[in-house]
Amino acid sequence: MDSEQIKTAAREAGFELCGVARAEPTLESAFYPEWISRGFHGKMGYLEGPRGEMRADPRTLLPSARSVICVGQVYNAPYRYSTEADEPEKGWVARYAWGRDYHDTMKNRLHGLARTLRDEAGDFEYKVCVDTSPILERAYAHRAGLGWIAKNTCLINEQIGSWVLLGEILTSLELDADEPAPFRCGTCTRCIDACPTDAFVEIGDAGPSHALDARRCISYWTIELKGEIPEENRGEIGRHVFGCDICQDVCPWNRPARAATTDAEEFQPANAEPSLEELATMTQEQFNDRFAGTPIERSRYAGFLRNVAVAMGNSGNPEVMATLERLAEFDDPNVRVHALWALRKAEGDKAR
Ligand code: SF4
Ligand code: SF4
């Protein structure tokens, strides 16, 4: 079985992108320990230690691996970008989290693809990875020709843009590898200029062109960080209640007329711009009913209310006071702290 047959099978399985890389360390693998040692991963402990070290080489996940079959699936629902959202009573949710959680469905489809390949190529060992496995997904996707690792640290495909979920099949099959995609950011710096928190660090020749300092990123604060969001950063979060897409929204390769879209039900904007008032007054039960099976579930009820309180404080909407006062008396101390901050912020904005 050759790489072209695999790409055909991947397309038939519903993946817009597919390519093959060799299962060996990459330039990014060499840079990864430095990213960790600079502390850019913040409190995401699962990225360091023995599990982090596994990212050096995919053969730590599957010793017999010779090739990495990389796939990409478009998740971009045809809906406006966060940079166009201007309603103060609404929050914003990162694009990938608008609908159902993709991890299980993508894994199932990759297992289905692997079974199809086995029917053709005979028995081989394989391991499916989607997002949470310790493998540098973008580095292999780049090597497999799916796109380049851009200054905003996302993988961008020239035809499709960057609204793409990545997955891999590590396999013992010895396959022809693709050519890495060329870097096409050129002199553009729109994502770096637009990032409200200055989260990108230029790396130079030591690794990829830029790295993300997660400790300065809205996605990290609103999704990964448990406990308190640093007070000095709360005002930078705007009305983001779960994740942030600004550095992708402004990218010319993602212009709405150019970026690929999907009509898949699970990615449609069910939760794109929820009413802040509605979110802030949800009970635990209502939170479970609304967000079970979606990525937002991961933030848990109190963590999500923390984000909603911050977004209300930043909204510039004078009508949030009564709701914030109620949140300032909430059971969870973390919600209370952020609601009190939001009240002070909203009062200050009102006085101005
Ligand atoms: S996701 Fe938002 S905060 Fe994070 S780097 Fe991109 S623009 Fe900056
Ligand atoms: S905005 Fe410009 S620099 Fe940033 S990722 Fe897109 S093309 Fe690259």
Side-chain angles (χ1 to χ4, degrees):
M1 179 164 222
D2 63 31
S3 300
E4 286 315 309
Q5 289 170 293
I6 291 173
K7 287 174 195 168
T8 304
R11 270 192 296 277
E12 284 168 8
F15 296 113
E16 286 89 350
L17 300 175
C18 180
V20 175
R22 267 187 262 288
E24 58 189 23
T26 63
L27 178 70
E28 288 76 11
S29 327
F31 176 70
Y32 186 76
E34 191 181 331
W35 190 77
I36 293 289
S37 70
R38 289 201 200 183
F40 288 171
H41 62 304
K43 293 186 177 167
M44 294 183 278
Y46 59 90
L47 294 176
E48 57 186 52
R51 197 165 161 81
E53 284 158 20
M54 290 175 80
R55 289 167 199 262
D57 190 329
R59 287 167 294 196
T60 56
L61 278 168
L62 181 72
S64 62
R66 296 292 170 269
S67 310
V68 187
I69 300 170
C70 298
V71 298
Q73 183 186 353
V74 172
Y75 66 91
N76 180 29
Y79 190 74
R80 67 179 172 170
Y81 286 180
S82 68
T83 40
E84 298 154 8
D86 55 3
E87 290 155 71
E89 67 280 5
K90 289 184 176 177
W92 187 269
V93 171
R95 214 165 194 85
Y96 86 93
W98 287 353
R100 314 298 301 167
D101 189 279
Y102 70 93
H103 290 83
D104 287 346
T105 43
M106 195 162 180
K107 270 186 198 159
N108 290 340
R109 286 166 66 205
L110 280 168
H111 280 293
L113 175 60
R115 282 193 296 273
T116 307
L117 303 184
R118 267 188 171 162
D119 291 344
E120 292 293 324
D123 201 20
F124 58 84
E125 289 193 355
Y126 78 92
K127 180 165 179 58
V128 159
C129 304
V130 175
D131 180 43
T132 52
S133 300
I135 177 171
L136 298 177
E137 292 193 294
R138 278 166 289 176
Y140 292 97
H142 168 234
R143 290 193 135 200
L146 269 57
W148 72 96
I149 301 178
K151 291 179 190 174
N152 65 3
T153 74
C154 297
L155 186 98
I156 302 182
N157 176 276
E158 198 168 336
Q159 277 78 40
I160 281 180
S162 71
W163 308 113
V164 177
L165 303 169
L166 300 177
E168 304 78 34
I169 301 175
L170 303 184
T171 168
S172 56
L173 289 172
E174 195 90 53
L175 300 166
D176 290 339
D178 285 281
E179 285 296 314
F183 184 75
R184 294 219 184 278
C185 284
T187 56
C188 174
T189 56
R190 283 191 208 187
C191 52
I192 295 161
D193 302 339
C195 173
T197 57
D198 230 356
F200 296 113
V201 180
E202 198 170 345
I203 296 301
D205 297 333
S209 83
H210 288 70
L212 177 74
D213 184 346
R215 296 167 303 180
R216 298 208 45 78
C217 175
I218 293 169
S219 292
Y220 170 72
W221 293 323
T222 57
I223 301 176
E224 301 288 347
L225 185 68
K226 310 297 169 220
E228 279 193 37
I229 297 171
E231 186 163 348
E232 66 273 22
N233 301 122
R234 292 176 199 159
E236 298 168 335
I237 291 176
R239 287 178 288 106
H240 291 95
V241 291
F242 191 85
C244 167
D245 287 329
I246 293 173
C247 53
Q248 296 192 79
D249 288 347
V250 299
C251 177
W253 298 94
N254 279 346
R255 273 197 308 271
R258 141 168 229 137
T261 58
T262 177
D263 54 10
E265 183 58 36
E266 68 262 38
F267 298 122
Q268 298 312 304
N271 292 316
E273 292 186 90
S275 147
L276 290 171
E277 176 69 22
E278 223 173 281
L279 297 180
T281 52
M282 269 185 316
T283 62
Q284 169 87 61
E285 210 176 13
Q286 288 166 332
F287 175 85
N288 295 346
D289 284 350
R290 178 159 178 182
F291 296 122
T294 76
I296 294 174
E297 185 181 24
R298 216 177 123 204
S299 62
R300 310 252 171 112
Y301 178 50
F304 194 55
L305 286 184
R306 173 200 68 175
N307 297 346
V308 173
V310 171
M312 283 186 133
N314 289 329
S315 67
N317 178 5
E319 283 160 31
V320 295
M321 297 301 186
T323 305
L324 281 175
E325 276 162 15
R326 276 199 299 280
L327 283 182
E329 291 175 1
F330 194 77
D331 286 349
D332 185 287
N334 204 26
V335 176
R336 290 203 298 273
V337 165
H338 292 79
L340 285 168
W341 173 87
L343 269 172
R344 288 196 300 277
K345 172 83 164 56
E347 275 158 9
D349 287 351
K350 203 169 156 190
R352 271 195 291 278

